[in-house]
Amino acid sequence: MVKGIIFDLDGVLLSTDEYHYQAWKAIADELGIYFDKTINNKLRGVSRMDSLDIILGGKYYSPLDKQRFAEKKNNIYRELLNDLSPSVVSDDVRSTLIALRALGIKTAIGSSSKNTKFILQKVELIDMFDAISDGTNIIRSKPDPEVFLKAAEFINLNPSECIVVEDAYSGIEAAKAGDFTAAAIGDAQSHPKADYKISRLSDLLKIVK
Ligand code: B16
Ligand code: MG
């Protein structure tokens, strides 16, 4: 029986994945490194520093330079986040969260992003979750299951009682490594380990009923 749902943020609840792409593209262009949406898909769910390593593809830069690039990327990203407002949350997302909570299902966030709480506040979604597990409370990012295991712990449920909703290959890997049921949306739909493939968040209501 499903007692809880753990949502990824970027690419699942919001289209902030597009902002991550634009910010990394600016950094890659500045460094003269080829970067496109296919490479960007490899960064989904992956921490900021690990994302930078993927973009740099083995090219050597000092730790200080890497720190500067990551900081610059985050500044560009935060600038783009200024556009966020409650109206960017789709009716499908908002109404699904309300419906799940009305069914007594616990809701949590499981995101690698250190900007999670800032974003949720900006779009006025923060009160829709019983717990938030994000980049600020983990050591290892996806595909390690830590962020989801913490989320389950925060809502006092076992992984077997929770569905993880993910748009990232790394997120599906993490969910399965943690013994969660995995629902894939967007890019993750082609992952062979996904237990469910959904095209919109409200499809979850058919799964839990
Ligand atoms: P930040 P998610 C992930 O969020 C993004 O998919 C990934 O592209 C990003 O690098 C990571 O968060 C860290 O984000 O730089 O904001 O701390 O998909 O797990 O919600
Ligand atoms: Mg994501």
Side-chain angles (χ1 to χ4, degrees):
M1 190 189 161
V2 180
K3 293 188 179 170
I5 303 197
I6 301 170
F7 298 88
D8 170 60
L9 177 65
D10 302 307
V12 169
L13 297 178
L14 294 167
S15 302
T16 39
D17 49 334
E18 177 60 28
Y19 293 163
H20 278 296
Y21 167 72
Q22 287 177 30
W24 279 128
K25 177 88 177 111
I27 300 296
D29 285 353
E30 192 181 309
L31 296 173
I33 294 172
Y34 181 75
F35 185 68
D36 62 13
K37 293 222 166 171
T38 306
I39 302 169
N40 186 62
N41 282 338
K42 295 186 192 152
L43 314 183
R44 289 179 188 275
V46 177
S47 72
R48 203 178 303 161
M49 287 314 285
D50 289 351
S51 296
L52 178 62
D53 281 335
I54 293 172
I55 292 168
L56 298 179
K59 209 171 162 194
Y60 179 80
Y61 286 95
S62 71
L64 198 66
D65 275 344
K66 283 168 68 168
Q67 204 55 50
R68 276 189 18 245
F69 301 153
E71 213 174 292
K72 189 162 184 187
K73 180 267 173 176
N74 195 50
N75 289 340
I76 299 169
Y77 180 60
R78 295 277 296 212
E79 199 56 44
L80 293 166
L81 292 178
N82 279 331
D83 283 353
L84 292 181
S85 69
S87 67
V88 306
V89 182
S90 72
D91 288 344
D92 189 74
V93 165
R94 219 176 267 280
S95 64
T96 302
L97 291 170
I98 291 168
L100 289 171
R101 290 167 67 83
L103 289 169
I105 291 171
K106 287 189 180 167
T107 54
I109 291 283
S111 167
S112 303
S113 176
K114 291 182 174 156
N115 291 297
T116 298
K117 292 188 186 86
F118 171 76
I119 293 170
L120 289 173
Q121 265 156 1
K122 225 163 169 342
V123 301
E124 293 178 10
L125 271 185
I126 199 131
D127 295 335
M128 299 303 293
F129 300 96
D130 297 296
I132 293 169
S133 173
D134 64 16
T136 64
N137 63 256
I138 54 167
I139 296 165
R140 297 169 299 276
S141 84
K142 303 165 190 174
D144 190 284
E146 186 181 7
V147 75
F148 297 138
L149 292 173
K150 283 267 163 62
E153 191 187 309
F154 293 163
I155 53 176
N156 295 312
L157 293 175
N158 293 317
S160 60
E161 298 171 310
C162 303
I163 295 178
V164 164
V165 190
E166 260 294 346
D167 71 314
Y169 262 53
S170 64
I172 300 293
E173 291 290 338
K176 296 317 293 176
D179 286 330
F180 293 89
T181 298
I185 194 164
D187 190 58
Q189 281 186 323
S190 52
H191 195 297
K193 288 190 197 162
D195 297 296
Y196 294 101
K197 294 170 189 205
I198 60 171
S199 46
R200 59 188 66 79
L201 221 61
S202 51
D203 291 343
L204 289 171
L205 297 170
K206 293 179 226 157
I207 298 170
V208 299
K209 272 177 186 168

